[in-house]
Amino acid sequence: ARTVLSDANTGTGTNLVLARGLVLDSANNRALVVDSDLDALVAIDLVSGDRSVLSDSNTGTGPDLLDLLNMSLDNANNRALVVDNNLDALVAIDLGSGDRTVLSDTNTGTGLNLSFPLAVALDNANNRALVVDRNLRALISIDLDSGDRSVLSDSSTGIGTSLIDPRGITLDSTNNRALVADINLNAIISIDLDSGDRIVLSNNITGNGPVFDTPQDTTLDSA
């Protein structure tokens, strides 16, 4: 059963236009949504559906957001980590002030430059963000202090089925792996966080059920 939590007719505030990424902020009973048309981070109250802009060109300081695609919540630091495809950057957004800080881009940190970052997952245990990059066909590790970038998995790093068009990522810390959706492979790929080895977890050959058709994102139901 499906229920609309927030739209133009449900809740007040700025209407969503092109919502791309969503995380649950349980502590504040809200969802955080990045909208790539509004170039904004929007908070949605899960009871009323009311929407409020947390960060955009008029809210908070720092570089303007240009093409937001995905995010991860960093509760310990009261911030969201977002990937911006236009900036080719990983950006931190303070959830109190809306201030924006570039954590990694061509001018911040060393290593292979991001080229088409599409999704990010926070790996707290290793103080890093894991970013899926479509053009690089890779999973990139970004140190959250220095912004340094290193390839965790691509066709030359780790063994197994190579990523072709990776889109979404979630972290499965219990099993020391990332789960990545690839729309070209029509698969969920498991990537070992130490070796970068890749295993097909589910596609139209592995596992039963409805046929995958361009899977865009993934999240983990730990329970």
Side-chain angles (χ1 to χ4, degrees), residues 5-157:
L5 292 182
S6 187
D7 67 1
N9 300 310
T10 311
T12 62
T14 302
N15 290 334
L16 299 174
V17 181
L18 189 56
R20 301 297 295 268
L22 177 150
V23 295
L24 183 65
D25 182 7
S26 301
N28 295 294
N29 196 40
R30 64 185 181 179
L32 303 180
V33 176
V34 289
D35 192 300
S36 61
D37 190 90
L38 297 174
D39 294 328
L41 175 62
V42 179
I44 301 178
D45 185 275
L46 294 180
V47 176
S48 65
D50 291 349
R51 300 166 300 281
S52 58
V53 173
L54 292 185
S55 188
D56 65 3
S57 59
N58 298 310
T59 311
T61 62
D64 287 346
L65 305 170
L66 296 174
D67 192 8
L68 294 173
L69 296 176
N70 194 268
M71 82 178 115
S72 184
L73 192 61
D74 182 3
N75 286 307
N77 294 293
N78 192 42
R79 64 185 182 177
L81 305 180
V82 303
V83 284
D84 190 304
N85 177 47
N86 192 291
L87 297 174
D88 283 333
L90 176 66
V91 179
I93 301 178
D94 185 274
L95 296 181
S97 64
D99 291 349
R100 300 168 297 280
T101 305
V102 172
L103 296 183
S104 188
D105 65 0
T106 55
N107 299 310
T108 311
T110 62
L112 188 64
N113 290 333
L114 298 174
S115 178
F116 201 142
L118 284 178
V120 57
L122 177 64
D123 182 5
N124 260 324
N126 295 293
N127 191 43
R128 64 183 179 178
L130 303 178
V131 173
V132 167
D133 193 296
R134 181 186 182 189
N135 282 354
L136 299 177
R137 297 184 176 183
L139 181 59
I140 306 296
S141 172
I142 299 180
D143 184 276
L144 292 178
D145 291 329
S146 65
D148 291 349
R149 300 168 298 280
S150 58
V151 175
L152 180 60
S153 187
D154 66 3
S155 59
S156 302
T157 311

Side-chain angles (χ1 to χ4, degrees), residues 20 70 118-119 132 134 163-169 179-189 200-206 210-219:
R20 301 297 295 268
N70 194 268
L118 284 178
V132 167
R134 181 186 182 189
L163 300 172
I164 298 178
D165 197 347
R167 295 299 180 97
I169 182 174
L179 305 178
V180 173
D182 191 300
I183 70 169
N184 185 285
L185 297 172
N186 282 325
I188 303 298
I189 305 296
V200 174
L201 181 67
S202 185
N203 62 6
N204 295 331
I205 298 173
T206 305
V211 171
F212 272 145
D213 183 7
T214 62
Q216 297 276 355
D217 205 356
T218 176
T219 193

Side-chain angles (χ1 to χ4, degrees), residues 157-181:
T157 311
I159 61 174
T161 301
S162 295
L163 300 172
I164 298 178
D165 197 347
R167 295 299 180 97
I169 182 174
T170 192
L171 194 66
D172 180 7
S173 300
T174 301
N175 294 295
N176 194 44
R177 63 185 179 179
L179 305 178
V180 173

